[in-house]
Amino acid sequence: MSMIAAFYSSKSILITGATGFLGKVLMEKLFRTSPDLKIIYILVRPKAGQTLQQRVFQILNSKLFEKVKEICPDVHEKIRPISADLNQHDFGISKEDMEELLSSTNVIFHCAATVRFDDPLRHAVQLNVTATQQLLFMASQMPKLEAFIHLSTAFSNCNLQHIDEVIYPCSVEPKKIIDSMEWLDDAIIDEITPKLIGDRPNTYTYTKALGEIVVQQEGANMNVAIIRPSIVGATWQEPFPGWVDNLNGPSGMIIAAGKGFLRSIKATPLAIADLIPADTVINLTLAAGWYTAVHRPKSTLIYHCTSGNLNPCNWLKMGLHVLETFEKVPFEKAFRRPKANFTTTSFTNHYWNAVSHRAPAVIYDIYLRLTGRKPRVTKLMNRMLRMLSMLEYFVNHSWEWSTHNTEMLMSMLSPEDQRMFNFDVRQLNWLEYIENYVLGVKKYLLKEDMAGIPEARQHLKRLRNIHYLFNVALFLIIWRLLIARWQMARNIWFFISSLHTL
Ligand SMILES: CCCCCCCCCCCCCCCCCCCCCC(=O)SCCNC(=O)CCNC(=O)[C@H](O)C(C)(C)COP(=O)(O)OP(=O)(O)OC[C@H]1O[C@@H](n2cnc3c(N)ncnc32)[C@H](O)[C@@H]1OP(=O)(O)O
Ligand SMILES: NC(=O)C1=CN([C@@H]2O[C@H](COP(=O)(O)OP(=O)(O)OC[C@H]3O[C@@H](n4cnc5c(N)ncnc54)[C@H](OP(=O)(O)O)[C@@H]3O)[C@@H](O)[C@H]2O)C=CC1
């Protein structure tokens, strides 16, 4: 019997961010491996015109939960959505709900965060720091609490090159930052943001670092652990390969490349692409929850959930394999044929952005306008370029993350748990993983049917022919202009013609 699965059976578990990418994989795995668990409380806010119940219904009826519904048919009864907004004081939780949470919760998984790179500091602090502090305060009043697991990011200290499984201090104490957000106005916050984030690239990584310090300080008397995943990608094995449901990280870029929008990217080809599958992150998270509660380590343990030092893969290998996979499983209605390369200098990057991104978008929009349709490609292209500029930092740096705690945890698992909660990335075959990832993006994000592949291939052939025709036309126009204006060109033309008549 799995020790981890047995531990979660009959437990009351509280999850924040359960409607997010990792939160859903976490819930699915918990229900599948510990169907006897008592209850999962999830803090959810109404969103996009949906009530809490509708949101939960949608999640449970998704493909991700198909296996769970077989194993645990009463899953609907075991999820208890609690109306909560982490931006509000006490999360806006009702008194009755709060009492129930405080008296029953055994384990907390704190996944909620803003993962946007461009969030204003005030909002990022509110969600990634203040809300974490409030949740820890709630946790401190839970008599039955056995473990508090905080999801952070391996990039919280991306200003360093070598990162150990420790919490690094920030120049200003999180408490001071939280206080100052209450009285500083937005204009001043915007002004001091670059100074505060220092050599980190965005408010996300900075506030996740502050969040970790808060966890260490406020969680000193609890059983707390921090998980630091690197770039989270589609699932590797569970509940099935290739599941993904948002555009963050590589997924959006895979779409952009597969649809022919992304033609070049400024990256260091041989830098490590530290991707980690979502199910690997969740297996480690659940194992850490068990270990924290049962073995009660004396200090807050941090677990790096990364692939680079155990099974490295670089951006070149990854990019090439993504492109190869498009040949087998092309995306439908591509804008151009999927073909991309890496640029390594700012000059070549600007050049290819102008030639391969902006110019085709402008030309296509002119064509749309001429045919009475609404131009839309330039707008899409600008959005992609903005996203690319935000991700650039992460594909041009390499980091080394030590993984002693993660390896220690692996060694503490029984053979059964090592199989059931596998987070050993040494077993991951990158080529197979990337292929399933691209397939997953096509199926679960783009919702494209495999039956459409022959038509997608035909479309790519048409695009190739248009491309050849366009090139020939362009060559002839340039040549004609040269002949009209340049004596040397005329001489070459006469020379070639005379060769032909010989
Ligand atoms: C040989 C060469 C081959 C080359 C081949 C190449 C193949 C590929 C190889 C792989 C290389 C990958 C490198 C990855 C590195 C990742 C590092 C991450 C590390 C950190 C990990 C973490 O620890 S942290 C979690 C990750 N955190 C994010 O990753 C958030 C980022 N992100 C944002 O911070 C915001 O996104 C940001 C950008 C501000 C924009 O913000 P924004 O306001 O302009 O745009 P929004 O995102 O709001 O999107 C507005 C609307 O565009 C829609 N849309 C968006 N993208 C779309 C798309 N691609 N296709 C269609 N539609 C799209 C969306 O669905 C919305 O649609 P709607 O409005 O209808 O809902
Ligand atoms: N994905 C990645 O690449 C990585 C993620 N991480 C970390 O893992 C954790 C989970 O990330 P991921 O699942 O990808 O993120 P998502 O953006 O997919 O999910 C974020 C979750 O937080 C919830 N949330 C946000 N704001 C509020 C709020 N005000 N009140 C209540 N809930 C809120 C969202 O709810 P709603 O659905 O209502 O918006 C959603 O459930 C985060 O802590 C992140 O920092 C770390 C490394 C990499």
Side-chain angles (χ1 to χ4, degrees), residues 16-23 43-47 55 84-87 110-115 123 127 151-155 204 208 228-233 245-246 248-249:
T16 70
T19 51
F21 177 39
L22 283 174
L43 301 192
V44 200
R45 52 182 175 169
K47 202 179 175 190
R55 293 194 75 184
D85 183 343
L86 270 60
N87 284 324
H110 180 33
C111 305
T114 168
V115 301
H123 187 243
L127 215 54
L151 262 287
S152 185
T153 163
F155 297 100
Y204 169 69
K208 290 300 275 188
R228 284 186 185 153
S230 47
I231 303 170
V232 182
D245 89 330
N246 71 23
N248 286 341

Side-chain angles (χ1 to χ4, degrees), residues 271-483:
I272 300 292
D274 208 302
L275 245 69
I276 192 86
D279 48 339
T280 308
V281 178
I282 292 312
N283 286 343
L284 171 60
T285 303
L286 289 171
W290 159 80
Y291 184 79
T292 309
V294 173
H295 292 270
R296 299 168 165 258
K298 285 193 185 70
S299 58
T300 302
L301 287 191
I302 292 140
Y303 300 92
H304 280 162
C305 192
T306 53
S307 57
N309 67 339
L310 296 173
N311 185 359
C313 177
N314 60 45
W315 288 111
L316 181 63
K317 186 174 161 191
M318 193 162 287
L320 287 176
H321 203 61
V322 168
L323 294 179
E324 273 164 32
T325 310
F326 292 143
E327 285 172 22
K328 281 194 219 160
V329 275
F331 292 173
E332 290 170 16
K333 295 182 189 138
F335 171 59
R336 295 179 73 191
R337 285 179 309 149
K339 196 165 172 273
N341 58 26
F342 289 125
T343 58
T344 46
T345 65
S346 294
F347 176 76
T348 49
N349 189 44
H350 285 307
Y351 173 79
W352 286 114
N353 269 347
V355 171
S356 286
H357 291 143
R358 291 209 164 87
V362 169
I363 292 171
Y364 196 76
D365 272 350
I366 292 173
Y367 163 73
L368 286 179
R369 228 183 259 274
L370 290 175
T371 50
R373 284 173 285 175
K374 202 174 159 218
R376 59 191 160 83
V377 184
T378 310
K379 199 171 153 206
L380 264 175
M381 195 60 90
N382 285 340
R383 183 174 275 169
M384 186 201 77
L385 289 176
R386 192 167 116 78
M387 191 172 248
L388 213 53
S389 72
M390 301 254 175
L391 299 181
E392 226 167 60
Y393 176 89
F394 299 94
V395 285
N396 284 289
H397 288 79
S398 275
W399 294 268
E400 281 162 30
W401 287 279
S402 62
T403 48
H404 302 301
N405 290 343
T406 303
E407 288 169 59
M408 175 282 292
L409 181 60
M410 210 180 303
S411 71
M412 297 300 287
L413 303 192
S414 65
E416 169 77 353
D417 277 332
Q418 285 182 354
R419 193 186 55 76
M420 210 163 161
F421 295 87
N422 182 15
F423 52 88
D424 186 354
V425 280
R426 283 171 295 201
Q427 296 165 19
L428 183 125
N429 175 334
W430 282 110
L431 299 190
E432 202 179 282
Y433 174 70
I434 293 166
E435 216 166 290
N436 285 327
Y437 194 164
V438 173
L439 210 69
V441 165
K442 181 174 170 69
K443 281 202 235 167
Y444 309 116
L445 272 181
L446 294 171
K447 314 258 187 262
E448 290 182 4
D449 199 333
M450 298 314 253
I453 288 183
E455 170 51 30
R457 282 217 178 92
Q458 276 305 110
H459 178 70
L460 291 183
K461 271 193 194 144
R462 280 196 292 274
L463 287 178
R464 190 194 53 196
N465 293 342
I466 292 171
H467 176 76
Y468 288 156
L469 267 176
F470 181 83
N471 280 0
V472 170
L474 195 69
F475 174 77
L476 289 177
I477 291 168
I478 294 173
W479 187 236
R480 195 72 198 86
L481 287 174
L482 282 177
I483 286 183

Side-chain angles (χ1 to χ4, degrees), residues 21-36:
F21 177 39
L22 283 174
K24 284 182 232 174
V25 182
L26 172 64
M27 266 201 300
E28 193 279 337
K29 177 85 185 199
L30 270 169
F31 279 125
R32 190 158 42 83
T33 51
S34 305
D36 294 332

